[in-house]
Amino acid sequence: MEVCVVSTLCYFILFYVLVHMLTFVFADADLTLLWASLRGRKPESSALKDEDILVLPMDLLERTTHEAKTQAAIEYFDRIDILINNGGRSQRSLFLDTSVDVYQALMELNFLGTVSLTKQVLPHMTQRGTGAIVTVSSVLGLAGAPLATGYAASKHALQGFYNSLRTELNDYPNILISNVCPGPVQSFIAQNAFTEDLHKPVVSAGYQGHKMPTSRCVSLILVGIANSVKEMWIAQQPFLAFYYVWQYTPTFAWFVTKSLSKKRVQNFKSGVDADSAYFTKPKTL
């Protein structure tokens, strides 16, 4: 009887592991977020009217205007429930070729601009005792990659800042501090990336079809907010697996990264878009 019970338990564990492995193969987000999308609270739906919408044009670099913009939103809606920090620019250039001005611009925009806006909104939330600050970071906020040294630095800074801020808000359990770490998503971020020179535009953004649809990324973010997920990993395979490798087996991650990074740089020098470097062959000149 004891042998039968042990055998049954072993088969159950094996089945459980296999199910999770199969789920992971087709996953496009971390397992916590996917579980929340299946079994957790659903994002609220609403029918917005014109008076429910207020557009306040704002520049993250003009930090002196952030207080007035925040107050304008509070006066119009009476409160701010959620702040989603989603402003910033990427980078497509090698460090040896890149001006220091580009690195300053990346930190001013991606990091300090985001922190400045949070500085204005958070006191309002602590006064009310509730709210959510959701910051869109990146896979490069957790790992490193060539052609994006400054971008990765700014996203690492955001990760460190908001993870530390969360620890300061233990007296406010109803204020969510959440970091979103997407992989490649269809957007205009590649077209607007910084290059080696502050005023030099990207020559070609390349093919974007292999990236996650924007609607799917947004849907997962809303699920994460509804279920108070503190960190969301959102990416199609093989990028999602890359998250887990970096998190749990960093030595192996460096081995994999070395090979992929070499290909990425070679393709970039050949004129292939950085984001599609893993899906295309280098061009022959």
Side-chain angles (χ1 to χ4, degrees):
M1 178 64 72
E2 291 182 359
V3 174
C4 183
V5 171
V6 172
S7 298
T8 302
L9 182 60
C10 289
Y11 281 122
F12 175 78
I13 293 174
L14 180 61
F15 176 76
Y16 180 83
V17 171
L18 287 174
V19 169
H20 276 73
M21 289 179 66
L22 287 173
T23 301
F24 184 74
V25 169
F26 299 100
D28 58 1
D30 66 86
L31 298 182
T32 299
L33 183 54
L34 287 180
W35 179 256
S37 68
L38 292 173
R39 306 291 295 177
R41 293 187 297 272
K42 303 300 180 183
E44 295 181 5
S45 59
S46 62
L48 293 176
K49 302 176 182 178
D50 289 345
E51 58 267 26
D52 297 325
I53 300 171
L54 175 65
V55 178
L56 294 171
M58 183 179 62
D59 190 336
L60 285 176
L61 294 176
E62 296 178 358
R63 298 198 293 271
T64 57
T65 67
H66 294 176
E67 181 178 5
K69 298 292 184 179
T70 301
Q71 291 304 314
I74 294 173
E75 290 175 6
Y76 189 87
F77 295 108
D78 293 327
R79 66 184 188 274
I80 296 177
D81 295 315
I82 302 175
L83 169 64
I84 298 180
N85 292 309
N86 191 37
R89 291 179 67 179
S90 185
Q91 178 190 7
R92 294 292 182 275
S93 62
L94 294 166
F95 171 70
L96 290 176
D97 302 327
T98 305
S99 167
V100 174
D101 292 340
V102 172
Y103 291 92
Q104 180 175 343
L106 281 163
M107 293 303 294
E108 289 277 352
L109 177 62
N110 294 0
F111 178 64
L112 289 177
T114 301
V115 170
S116 173
L117 194 56
T118 300
K119 180 69 174 177
Q120 299 301 325
V121 173
L122 185 57
H124 167 72
M125 291 183 176
T126 57
Q127 185 178 17
R128 296 180 60 231
T130 184
I133 296 179
V134 182
T135 301
V136 178
S137 178
S138 168
V139 60
L140 296 187
L142 304 173
L147 310 175
T149 47
Y151 177 74
S154 68
K155 294 301 185 178
H156 273 70
L158 288 174
Q159 290 284 126
F161 175 82
Y162 285 101
N163 285 340
S164 299
L165 177 61
R166 189 186 299 115
T167 67
E168 295 183 6
L169 298 175
N170 289 325
D171 292 336
Y172 302 94
N174 293 322
I175 295 180
L176 170 67
I177 302 294
S178 179
N179 294 328
V180 183
C181 300
V185 175
Q186 294 174 8
S187 71
F188 291 102
I189 193 169
Q191 290 92 325
N192 296 318
F194 283 108
T195 62
E196 64 272 14
D197 184 82
L198 196 59
H199 303 292
K200 180 181 177 182
V202 172
V203 176
S204 174
Y207 177 66
Q208 306 290 312
H210 63 274
K211 299 180 179 181
M212 175 182 284
T214 308
S215 58
R216 174 59 177 169
C217 183
V218 170
S219 176
L220 288 168
I221 292 174
L222 293 177
V223 167
I225 295 173
N227 291 276
S228 299
V229 178
K230 294 181 176 61
E231 184 161 292
M232 311 177 209
W233 298 357
I234 301 174
Q236 297 172 326
Q237 299 290 14
F239 296 100
L240 182 63
F242 188 66
Y243 283 76
Y244 280 88
V245 170
W246 264 99
Q247 181 75 13
Y248 298 110
T249 57
T251 301
F252 178 65
W254 278 115
F255 173 78
V256 175
T257 302
K258 180 180 179 181
S259 176
L260 294 178
S261 296
K262 183 177 180 180
K263 174 179 172 61
R264 186 176 173 90
V265 172
Q266 288 176 341
N267 285 3
F268 174 75
K269 290 181 177 180
S270 299
V272 178
D273 172 58
D275 287 335
S276 60
Y278 304 116
F279 303 91
T280 54
K281 296 180 179 180
K283 292 179 180 179
T284 55
L285 301 176

